[in-house]
């Protein structure tokens, strides 16, 4: 059974950093691109970042470019999101999602339950 | 303002057919495939349709997707109370070089 479990969320002050992790099981992480998608309170889904199977292709939403860094460790079956210079508008649930292909496409049929990030003083 | 435009709300009665639209441009829907997701806030989003009109295994055939030009649609037939959720379209945007989502449509089953 495919499972994606996010962790690392919490309450953080504006301007500080947080690192999210996503533990993958039930499939070979190396075979798929991965994504981070978030949802702010009362807002819709917003794609944040995606990374190809070999980390050679990485893409970010304009709203997080220069502040967030996506990475993966296929040997550890893990996906990460390093979030720096956090802002109040970064508050929300963060979901990791498996792509359908190895190259960056769209989030596919497997998503985690999400981890909540709250940016507030 | 989302790159893909969806109506904020839709509604129908049990058994009815409802259609949700998703409007984009030549740099996204017009040049690539569309995916649809169903989401209840606080839970994991669920893939409903990929590659414009393909359903993953386990998704009822009551859900169907279509695409024409720079617009796409999700149709839900035989509406059921458990279909009440938020629905999102998504596509890759060649100009922005990243994934774009629609703003979401809240479906209410009356």
């Amino acid at each position: 059974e495919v499972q994606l479990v996010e962790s690392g969320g919490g309450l953080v002050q504006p301007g500080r950093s947080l690192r999210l992790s996503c533990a993958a099981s039930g499939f070979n992480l190396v075979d798929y691109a991965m994504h981070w998608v978030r949802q702010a309170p009362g807002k819709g889904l917003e794609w944040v970042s995606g990374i190809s199977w070999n980390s050679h292709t990485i893409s970010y939403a304009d709203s997080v470019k220069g502040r967030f860094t996506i990475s993966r460790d296929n040997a550890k079956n893990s996906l990460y999101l390093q979030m720096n210079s956090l802002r109040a508008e970064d508050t929300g649930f963060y979901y990791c999602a498996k792509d359908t292909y190895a190259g960056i496409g769209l989030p596919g049929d497997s998503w985690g339950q999400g981890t909540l990030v709250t940016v507030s003083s | 303002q989302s790159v893909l435009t969806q109506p904020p709300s839709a509604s129908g009665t049990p058994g009815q057919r409802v259609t949700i639209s998703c409007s984009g441009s030549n740099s996204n829907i017009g040049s690539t495939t569309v995916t649809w997701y169903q989401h209840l806030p606080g839970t994991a989003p669920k893939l409903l349709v990929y590659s414009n009109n393909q359903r993953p295994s386990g998704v009822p055939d009551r859900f169907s997707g279509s695409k024409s030009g720079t617009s796409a649609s999700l149709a839900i037939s035989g509406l059921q109370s458990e279909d009440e959720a938020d629905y999102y379209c998504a596509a890759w945007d060649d100009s922005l070089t990243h994934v774009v989502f629609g703003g979401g449509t809240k479906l209410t089953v009356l």
Side-chain angles (χ1 to χ4, degrees):
Chain A
E1 179 194 2
V2 172
Q3 271 202 317
L4 296 169
V5 180
E6 303 92 340
S7 60
L11 174 63
V12 61
Q13 293 179 327
R16 304 298 291 264
S17 298
L18 208 58
R19 189 195 197 205
L20 304 184
S21 299
C22 173
S25 61
F27 68 101
N28 293 321
L29 185 67
V30 69
D31 290 337
Y32 298 95
M34 296 292 293
H35 301 266
W36 287 99
V37 177
R38 69 184 180 184
Q39 183 176 39
K43 303 290 186 180
L45 295 177
E46 179 189 16
W47 179 85
V48 173
S49 182
I51 184 169
S52 63
W53 70 278
N54 57 3
S55 303
H56 286 185
T57 305
I58 287 174
S59 185
Y60 298 98
D62 293 343
S63 57
V64 306
K65 197 175 294 184
R67 300 187 300 122
F68 290 11
T69 302
I70 191 172
S71 62
R72 62 191 293 162
D73 186 333
N74 291 334
K76 294 183 177 179
N77 292 315
S78 293
L79 175 73
Y80 307 102
L81 186 67
Q82 177 67 41
M83 304 186 296
N84 299 332
S85 303
L86 282 162
R87 306 167 180 167
E89 53 264 36
D90 295 319
T91 294
F93 275 96
Y94 283 71
Y95 301 94
C96 70
K98 170 179 159 286
D99 199 306
T100 305
Y101 305 106
I104 298 180
L106 296 169
D109 60 356
S110 297
W111 296 62
Q113 291 296 315
T115 187
L116 179 61
V117 172
T118 303
V119 184
S120 174
S121 54
Chain B
Q1 191 92 6
S2 301
V3 174
L4 303 181
T5 301
Q6 297 180 235
S9 63
S11 64
T13 56
Q16 251 189 341
R17 183 177 188 268
V18 170
T19 301
I20 298 171
S21 62
C22 175
S23 178
S25 67
N26 287 326
S27 65
N28 42 67
I29 294 178
S31 59
T32 186
T33 61
V34 178
T35 296
W36 289 90
Y37 307 92
Q38 178 190 62
H39 186 221
L40 289 166
T43 68
K46 176 184 178 182
L47 178 68
L48 283 181
V49 171
Y50 66 98
S51 296
N52 302 328
N53 55 18
Q54 302 300 302
R55 278 187 310 277
S57 60
V59 174
D61 58 7
R62 302 187 296 105
F63 295 90
S64 62
S66 64
K67 187 187 101 166
S68 177
T70 59
S71 294
S73 294
L74 174 71
I76 309 172
S77 60
L79 202 60
Q80 300 179 3
S81 57
E82 58 257 39
D83 297 333
E84 192 162 284
D86 299 322
Y87 293 83
Y88 295 87
C89 59
W92 180 265
D93 191 292
D94 286 333
S95 295
L96 297 174
T97 62
H98 63 65
V99 176
V100 290
F101 273 86
T105 299
K106 183 176 182 60
L107 176 64
T108 302
V109 181
L110 302 169

